[in-house]
Amino acid sequence: MSANLQELTQLVRREGLLDSQPVYYTFKIATNLLLLAAGWTLFALLGDSWWQLAVAAFLAVCFGQTDLIGHDAGHRQIFRTRRPGDLIGYTHGNLLTGVSFGWWVGHHTKHHNYPNHLSLDPDILRRQVIFDAKDRSKRTGPVGRFIVRHQAWMFYVLILMEGLRLHISGYVAARKGVLKRHVALDLGLLTLHLAVYLTAVFTLLSPGVAVAFLVVHQGLFGFYMGVMFAPNHKGLPVRDGEDEKLDWLTRQVITSRNLAPGRITDFFFGGLNYQIEHHLFPSMPRRNLRRAQPLVKEYLVRGGLPYAEERLLRSYLSVAGHLGEVSREVAVLERAPAVRGTR
C-alpha cells in the first residue's frame, strides 16, 4: 500500500476530525483573554516593583498563547470564512501582541507549501543559522561566521530576539510591498499596540524597572515562540532547487516532527506538537489533532512513510545536533582551499 492524501482525508473526515469546534474555541478564546487581562491588571496593581519581572514572564506566555489563537484563525480552524477569521487574527495578532496577522498569513502559508526548502521556505530563509553547509556563503562577516561556527547553541540564544523580529516584521513587509490586504489597518493596529504598550511600561515603571521588564517580557516571548516552533522541522531533511519534486503529502511528512503527546505539551504548544497532522490538515481544529494522531500514524507507517516522533528534550537535542553537524561540515569546506593551497 502507498500513502494517498485523498484516502487519508476520507479517513479523518469520517471520524469528524475536520469538523469545526465552536464551543471549544469560544471557551479557549474567553479563557485566554481572562488570563491576559489578569496579567495586565496585576501589572497595574503592582506599580513600580521588581516583582514586575514575574509579571513579564507570565505575560510572555500569555502573548504566545494569544498568537497561537491567531495562528488557528489564519488556518481557518476557528471560522471557515475569511471575515470572522480576520477579525480574530488581527485582534489577537496586531492589537493584543503586536505581531502582524497580514504578514504572518502570507509567510506561514508559503512555509506550509514548501517546508524545509532552502530556497522557498521563509522560515528557513529568515534564520541567522544555516541548515545546509552550502548555504555558508549567505552568512558573511565576523558575526555571521561566528554564529555559523557556534550555531548548535547560538540558535537558542538568537531566538531571544524572535519577539522583536516578529514585532517589526509587519513594518518590513509593508515597506517591501509584501502586505497586500488591509495595509492601513494592519500597520495602524501594530502602531496602536506599540504606543499603548510602551506608554504603560514607561509611565508606570521607573526607567530601570521598565527596561528590565521589556528585556524579560520580549526575551521570554521570543524564546517561547522560538522553542515552540524549533522542534517542528529543524534537523529533518532539507532540499533545494526551484522545482519542487516531492508530492505534497510526502514533503509534509518527511520534513515534520511530532512531540510525544501529553496534556501539558498540548497546552504549551497549542497543537503544534502534532506537527505532521497539522501540516497534512492545516484547517483541522487543534482539539482534534490529538485524536487524529494515532489514525494518521498508522496509515502513514503502513504506507511506507517515516513518522518522526520524539520526546520534547530529545527533539531540542536533535536540532542542536543537526546544527552542530552543519557547523562541522562548514569548517571542513573552509579548510579545504587552504589544504589544497599548500600542495
Side-chain angles (χ1 to χ4, degrees):
M1 161 188 166
S2 60
N4 178 280
L5 181 62
Q6 184 176 2
E7 185 177 43
L8 180 56
T9 302
Q10 291 173 350
L11 287 175
V12 300
R13 195 181 298 279
R14 279 202 299 268
E15 296 296 321
L17 299 174
L18 294 177
D19 296 345
S20 59
Q21 294 283 335
V23 175
Y24 166 77
Y25 273 113
T26 299
F27 174 78
K28 184 67 180 176
I29 291 171
T31 302
N32 185 73
L33 290 175
L34 284 173
L35 290 173
L36 191 62
W40 285 118
T41 300
L42 186 58
F43 172 85
L45 293 175
L46 273 177
D48 189 25
S49 164
W50 286 103
W51 283 105
Q52 291 285 12
L53 301 188
V55 178
F58 176 75
L59 283 172
V61 177
C62 288
F63 269 43
Q65 288 289 311
T66 302
D67 278 330
L68 280 170
I69 292 174
H71 167 272
D72 292 1
H75 280 300
R76 302 195 184 182
Q77 296 178 20
I78 305 174
F79 296 102
R80 299 307 188 193
T81 54
R82 172 176 283 180
R83 182 169 295 182
D86 281 355
L87 177 62
I88 295 293
Y90 283 105
T91 300
H92 285 73
N94 297 58
L95 186 61
L96 295 179
T97 65
V99 178
S100 168
F101 180 71
W103 161 79
W104 177 85
V105 167
H107 177 97
H108 197 62
T109 298
K110 192 170 184 181
H111 157 71
H112 267 260
N113 288 333
Y114 303 103
N116 271 19
H117 193 291
L118 295 174
S119 301
L120 300 175
D121 181 356
D123 276 357
I124 291 283
L125 297 172
R126 68 191 292 264
R127 301 296 171 191
Q128 291 86 12
V129 299
I130 61 173
F131 300 92
D132 191 281
K134 67 183 179 184
D135 278 351
R136 66 190 187 280
S137 60
K138 297 178 181 178
R139 301 291 178 263
T140 58
V143 175
R145 288 195 294 271
F146 177 86
I147 290 173
V148 170
R149 192 178 307 124
H150 302 284
Q151 63 180 19
W153 60 269
M154 276 297 296
F155 175 79
Y156 293 102
V157 175
L158 291 169
I159 58 177
L160 289 166
M161 300 293 292
E162 185 66 11
L164 177 61
R165 298 182 72 208
L166 289 171
H167 290 316
I168 67 175
S169 291
Y171 295 105
V172 174
R175 183 176 59 81
K176 292 182 176 179
V178 175
L179 289 182
K180 302 298 183 184
R181 300 172 57 246
H182 311 306
V183 177
L185 174 67
D186 200 313
L187 297 183
L189 290 176
L190 283 180
T191 304
L192 176 62
H193 169 87
L194 181 65
V196 173
Y197 175 79
L198 292 178
T199 298
V201 170
F202 283 101
T203 299
L204 194 63
L205 308 180
S206 59
V209 178
V211 170
F213 179 91
L214 289 175
V215 170
V216 172
H217 180 219
Q218 295 302 323
L220 290 182
F221 169 53
F223 190 79
Y224 180 27
M225 297 298 282
V227 299
M228 187 192 304
F229 286 94
N232 300 343
H233 307 282
K234 309 299 183 285
L236 291 170
V238 296
R239 59 205 188 285
D240 205 358
E242 292 301 320
D243 295 327
E244 179 58 79
K245 296 179 175 61
L246 295 176
D247 67 89
W248 195 86
L249 183 143
T250 302
R251 85 178 74 146
Q252 305 304 323
V253 174
I254 69 171
T255 60
S256 299
R257 177 195 289 113
N258 275 22
L259 301 178
R263 295 296 182 182
I264 295 177
T265 311
D266 287 2
F267 172 77
F268 279 103
F269 284 80
L272 297 181
N273 46 311
Y274 303 104
Q275 189 68 194
I276 295 173
E277 289 72 27
H278 171 60
H279 260 253
L280 290 173
F281 305 103
S283 64
M284 181 182 289
R286 75 165 85 162
R287 186 186 187 189
N288 293 340
L289 292 168
R290 185 182 181 90
R291 292 171 52 205
Q293 189 268 337
L295 185 156
V296 171
K297 181 177 181 179
E298 180 186 4
Y299 178 85
L300 293 175
V301 171
R302 281 194 293 114
L305 284 172
Y307 190 92
E309 184 177 33
E310 294 181 357
R311 293 194 176 278
L312 182 60
L313 180 58
R314 180 68 251 174
S315 72
Y316 293 126
L317 293 175
S318 295
V319 173
H322 173 75
L323 293 174
E325 180 60 31
V326 172
S327 295
R328 288 186 287 273
E329 291 174 8
V330 169
V332 170
L333 290 171
E334 290 180 343
R335 284 198 301 268
V339 171
R340 286 196 298 268
T342 60
R343 293 179 180 175

